[in-house]
Amino acid sequence: RASLNRNRNLLAAARAGSAVARRTLVLDTVDAYYALVLARQKRRLAEETLSLAEGFVKVTEGFAARGEDESEGADALRARATVASRRDELEQARAGELAAMNTLRVQTGVDFGTPIDVTRIAQALPTTADFLSFTEDQIRHRPELSQLDFQRRAALDDARAAKGDRLPQLTYSLNGGFDAADFRPLKRYAGGSAIVTLTIPVFDFGASKSRETQARLRAQSLDAQRELLLRQLRQEFYTARGQALTALTRIK
């Protein structure tokens, strides 16, 4: 029974690990989506900035052509240098947008030849009410903690199984059959057997005791890991909430 419970707990721990991996994939996909939203907005801003810089070049060149001011030539040179810089920033923004789109394609499985459309960054802005539903109590339902709990139970079951090796063990085997060419003399050639074995451990050089101790030490180590992970999750929760509230202030 202890071995069966251990395997069941290990299976539950593996399922919790799958839930952790799935949650990580979902969060990475969401981050990749908003990274693409931000990269696309940066590209739009770079295009607008370049357009303004090119318009300023035309104005300064017009002043220089009319000879209204001796310094207009220098202003035109500075304006053209600014245009070159803004054009370089635009190309960098396009490269960043392409990289962000490819990352999202990898996360979602979309073909690399398929364009991806996203919403504007200024649409559906979050509010303070969007973050009030998240509380510290939700941390205790994280699959990472469940995985450690199941692993701890499996370690304790392993300790009980090792302890059971030092107890007397009773096994029995019942057999029945016949040895005849046909069914008519079946009762004459039928027979059965029963074998009962009693094993009493006397001395195993401490092997089972060592396995039990190691299993209990693993359980204690998992308890410490769970406490450390819980503290880290609490730190991440309050840090993320503080950053979110600060971002709302920056948006305003």
Side-chain angles (χ1 to χ4, degrees):
R1 285 196 298 267
S3 299
L4 179 61
N5 291 333
R6 176 193 59 194
N7 293 333
R8 286 176 175 173
N9 287 322
L10 289 177
L11 177 60
R15 289 174 176 170
S18 300
V20 173
R22 182 183 183 277
R23 183 178 182 276
T24 302
L25 176 60
V26 171
L27 291 178
D28 291 343
T29 304
V30 173
D31 290 341
Y33 175 81
Y34 283 107
L36 176 58
V37 172
L38 181 59
R40 185 158 296 178
Q41 182 66 17
K42 288 182 178 180
R43 190 259 301 165
R44 294 192 183 106
L45 292 177
E47 290 177 348
E48 295 175 0
T49 306
L50 176 60
S51 178
L52 292 175
E54 291 175 344
F56 185 70
V57 167
K58 294 179 180 179
V59 173
T60 54
E61 288 179 347
F63 287 154
R66 292 191 296 268
E68 297 180 1
D69 191 351
E70 296 180 355
S71 63
E72 293 298 337
D75 292 339
L77 290 176
R78 285 194 295 268
R80 284 193 291 268
T82 302
V83 168
S85 177
R86 295 295 179 263
R87 186 173 290 110
D88 179 70
E89 292 177 358
L90 176 59
E91 294 302 325
Q92 292 182 9
R94 288 174 177 172
E97 180 185 6
L98 180 60
M101 186 179 298
N102 291 334
T103 302
L104 183 59
R105 285 167 176 164
V106 171
Q107 297 291 342
T108 57
V110 177
D111 186 77
F112 281 85
T114 303
I116 300 178
D117 191 17
V118 294
T119 59
R120 290 269 184 171
I121 197 171
Q123 294 178 353
L125 291 176
T127 60
T128 305
D130 296 331
F131 302 101
L132 297 179
S133 59
F134 298 100
T135 60
E136 184 182 348
D137 295 335
Q138 294 176 334
I139 298 177
R140 302 186 181 277
H141 301 287
R142 292 281 294 269
E144 294 91 337
L145 298 177
S146 300
Q147 184 179 20
L148 291 178
D149 290 338
F150 286 120
Q151 290 177 351
R152 177 182 179 277
R153 295 176 186 175
L156 294 177
D157 290 330
D158 198 8
R160 283 190 286 268
K163 183 179 180 181
D165 291 340
R166 300 196 301 272
L167 300 177
Q169 299 179 11
L170 178 65
T171 60
Y172 63 91
S173 175
L174 302 177
N175 302 286
F178 62 91
D179 186 7
D182 51 37
F183 290 96
R184 285 177 293 180
L186 184 61
K187 294 182 179 180
R188 181 179 178 183
Y189 297 102
S193 66
I195 300 175
V196 179
T197 304
L198 178 62
T199 304
I200 301 177
V202 178
F203 190 67
D204 66 347
F205 298 95
S208 61
K209 184 66 175 178
S210 176
R211 292 196 303 270
E212 180 185 0
T213 303
Q214 292 177 13
R216 296 193 182 279
L217 289 176
R218 286 199 305 270
Q220 295 177 5
S221 176
L222 291 170
D223 286 336
Q225 292 181 21
R226 189 184 190 280
E227 182 64 25
L228 179 60
L229 178 60
L230 184 60
R231 294 183 181 182
Q232 292 177 351
L233 293 177
R234 291 183 62 189
Q235 177 188 3
E236 292 177 2
F237 171 77
Y238 285 106
T239 301
R241 190 175 69 172
Q243 291 177 350
L245 296 178
T246 303
L248 293 179
T249 305
R250 293 173 58 194
I251 291 174
K252 293 179 181 179

